[in-house]
Amino acid sequence: LQQGLALLAAQPDHHERDRLELALQFTLGMAQVGQMGYEREAQQTYTKVRDLARQLGETSALCRVTGELACLYYVWAEHQRARELAEETLVLAKQTQEPVLVAMATSYLGFVLFALGEFTSAREQFRHVIEFYNPSQHHRSFVALRGADFGVSALAYDACCLWCLGFPDQAAKQGEETLALVHKLGHPFTLVDGLAYAGCLLNEMRQDAPTSPANGEELVQLATAKTPGWLATATWFWGGTLVMQGRLENGIVELRLSMEHKQSGHERCYKTGCLCSLARAQAKAGHPEEGLDTVSEALAEVEQTDERYTEAEIYRLRGELLLAQGNEHEAEASLRQAESCFQDAIEIARRQQAKSWELRATTSLARHWQAQGKRNEARAALGEVYDWFTEGFETPDLVEAKALLEVLS
């Protein structure tokens, strides 16, 4: 591609020369992303493509490259800019009247909305894609458009939305079906995407240790061998898997390594999730001061980037870490601050309609109230959110909530 562009540079200006440069530059951008991840080189390339597409009046190409720029800003965790570009992409896609481009643009908007913690709106986008998507019919064309099958991505993210919104069994079923599909398709970039979100992210959110190791190991192997741009994400999920297995110090090492990978490049997306995993590990390992420092960094990241999909859990963890500090001189203040954190977590989860995050935060608050002798308040608060659920009663969060309710009865 580089050689082709060098040859074109020596040619006189002409409409066909510009069209060929547009095609070469676009493919170069996809290759750069595939090899190096979403670095600044890809932005420079896609900016050239965007200028050429506008100059040539190529609406389809303009739609595609605007979508790729939206993905760049999404990966850099500049989520409001990513949202603007994703919405612009969807407008352009509808102008083309090409259903595949509309599906692509819709999925991009869904990704950004998920990161922003707007789970219901994100699901609306993903459902449009899923209703249109037929793997046997669309896989090759989707891969040709952007190097990975965004129909699979929509399925994977939709599973994560389902869990957040309080449908853990449906989420698990969709996650399993998505993983089966990506293994059947056998396309490396699609496989790594499916493993990361339908497998590892879903498991990390629901803290599901039994199903995590295989997904985490496979993701690390793929990232190391074929998709180096995914290494930071793969290391994060592997660290989280080790923590769920009880290998706390090993997990903390991997999570810190993931943060180093993120800081060495431009990838910032889901840094809040990685910090959340690290804080959870530090809490389990009995390092509350370190955990509180991690939580402070995570909350600063939330405010800087608007990445809010795990915001409720970060506040809940801050409350748990404050209770674990055991500082006798500031015990009463820590108790008040912890309760405030749990209440903040519940309020955020309700605002996001995120019943699973709400249940987990309410369980923490109920346990805290139980320790203070407020059994009736604890039982009423936890019972209300627990009774909302209609599925997932064998999952860790609901099992824990039920056990606490029985103690409070």
Side-chain angles (χ1 to χ4, degrees):
L1 291 165
Q2 300 264 15
Q3 289 173 353
L5 287 165
L7 287 169
L8 272 183
Q11 301 301 312
D13 288 342
H14 188 271
H15 184 78
E16 288 304 315
R17 194 212 74 90
D18 292 343
R19 287 176 63 86
L20 185 52
E21 182 183 358
L22 174 65
L24 288 171
Q25 291 280 13
F26 199 103
T27 312
L28 176 63
M30 292 175 66
Q32 288 169 332
V33 169
Q35 179 61 28
M36 297 177 287
Y38 288 89
E39 298 297 315
R40 297 294 174 184
E41 291 83 357
Q43 181 193 31
Q44 293 166 5
T45 302
Y46 284 142
T47 300
K48 291 178 185 175
V49 175
R50 200 178 191 199
D51 290 342
L52 280 166
R54 283 174 169 161
Q55 177 184 324
L56 293 166
E58 293 281 352
T59 305
S60 293
L62 182 58
C63 170
R64 289 180 61 195
V65 75
T66 304
E68 292 304 317
L69 286 167
C71 287
L72 281 171
Y73 283 96
Y74 164 72
V75 171
W76 298 340
E78 296 181 33
H79 292 305
Q80 292 301 340
R81 179 58 178 148
R83 183 178 194 157
E84 292 170 5
L85 287 164
E87 289 172 346
E88 184 181 340
T89 303
L90 187 53
V91 170
L92 289 165
K94 289 177 179 178
Q95 288 175 8
T96 69
Q97 298 184 329
E98 296 180 44
V100 170
L101 288 183
V102 173
M104 179 198 74
T106 304
S107 69
Y108 290 166
L109 183 55
F111 303 155
V112 179
L113 291 171
F114 174 82
L116 290 167
E118 298 182 26
F119 305 120
T120 301
S121 297
R123 272 215 82 206
E124 289 175 7
Q125 307 304 317
F126 295 136
R127 295 316 300 174
H128 286 307
V129 181
I130 292 166
E131 288 167 9
F132 171 75
Y133 178 56
N134 181 330
S136 61
Q137 182 180 347
H138 297 123
H139 174 64
R140 288 182 180 275
S141 60
F142 281 15
V143 169
L145 271 176
R146 67 170 317 266
D149 187 334
F150 50 85
V152 165
S153 302
L155 287 164
Y157 275 89
D158 189 54
C160 293
C161 287
L162 279 165
W163 183 86
C164 293
L165 292 168
F167 303 100
D169 286 347
Q170 293 178 57
K173 182 174 183 291
Q174 184 156 309
E176 290 166 5
E177 290 173 352
T178 304
L179 290 173
L181 174 61
V182 293
H183 282 103
K184 180 182 177 181
L185 294 171
H187 180 253
F189 290 100
T190 301
L191 177 57
V192 78
D193 207 28
L195 280 169
Y197 298 110
C200 296
L201 180 59
L202 182 58
N203 292 335
E204 179 69 18
M205 290 194 304
R206 66 187 184 182
Q207 288 292 285
D208 189 353
T211 59
S212 293
N215 296 329
E217 285 182 285
E218 187 175 4
L219 184 60
V220 169
Q221 290 168 2
L222 264 173
T224 303
K226 294 186 176 181
T227 57
W230 282 86
L231 192 57
T233 298
T235 307
W236 160 30
F237 288 135
W238 180 237
T241 295
L242 293 174
V243 170
M244 281 187 273
Q245 291 178 328
R247 299 160 64 184
L248 300 179
E249 296 304 330
N250 289 340
I252 288 171
V253 168
E254 293 296 320
L255 290 166
R256 290 195 183 281
L257 182 60
S258 174
M259 294 302 303
E260 290 175 13
H261 284 313
K262 284 181 178 291
Q263 288 163 1
S264 66
H266 291 99
E267 181 185 341
R268 196 174 178 182
C269 189
Y270 299 137
K271 183 179 176 182
T272 57
C274 187
L275 287 166
C276 184
S277 299
L278 179 57
R280 187 184 294 114
Q282 290 164 330
K284 289 182 177 181
H287 306 312
E289 287 78 14
E290 292 179 15
L292 285 168
D293 288 341
T294 302
V295 162
S296 295
E297 185 180 351
L299 290 173
E301 190 73 11
V302 167
E303 294 308 313
Q304 289 171 22
T305 65
D306 260 347
E307 188 170 276
R308 299 185 183 275
Y309 83 100
T310 192
E311 183 181 13
E313 177 70 350
I314 295 169
Y315 274 99
R316 187 194 72 84
L317 285 169
R318 185 169 187 269
E320 294 286 5
L321 288 159
L322 284 166
L323 292 178
Q325 260 189 317
N327 187 330
E328 293 181 10
H329 301 294
E330 300 178 7
E332 193 167 335
S334 293
L335 289 173
R336 288 196 304 270
Q337 290 173 23
E339 182 167 332
S340 178
C341 286
F342 297 144
Q343 296 282 17
D344 286 343
I346 292 167
E347 182 182 343
I348 291 163
R350 286 175 177 169
R351 188 165 63 242
Q352 296 176 342
Q353 298 177 276
K355 282 293 181 179
S356 290
W357 291 133
E358 183 184 349
L359 176 68
R360 194 175 292 174
T362 307
T363 301
S364 289
L365 178 62
R367 193 180 296 109
H368 174 58
W369 278 348
Q370 178 195 21
Q372 293 184 307
K374 300 179 181 178
R375 295 173 63 90
N376 291 337
E377 294 94 327
R379 183 173 61 252
L382 185 55
E384 182 180 354
V385 66
Y386 180 86
D387 289 343
W388 179 91
F389 282 82
T390 58
E391 63 180 63
F393 296 107
E394 302 302 318
T395 59
D397 288 316
L398 283 151
V399 168
E400 182 182 356
K402 183 181 180 182
L404 181 54
L405 280 169
E406 288 173 352
V407 171
L408 292 169
S409 296

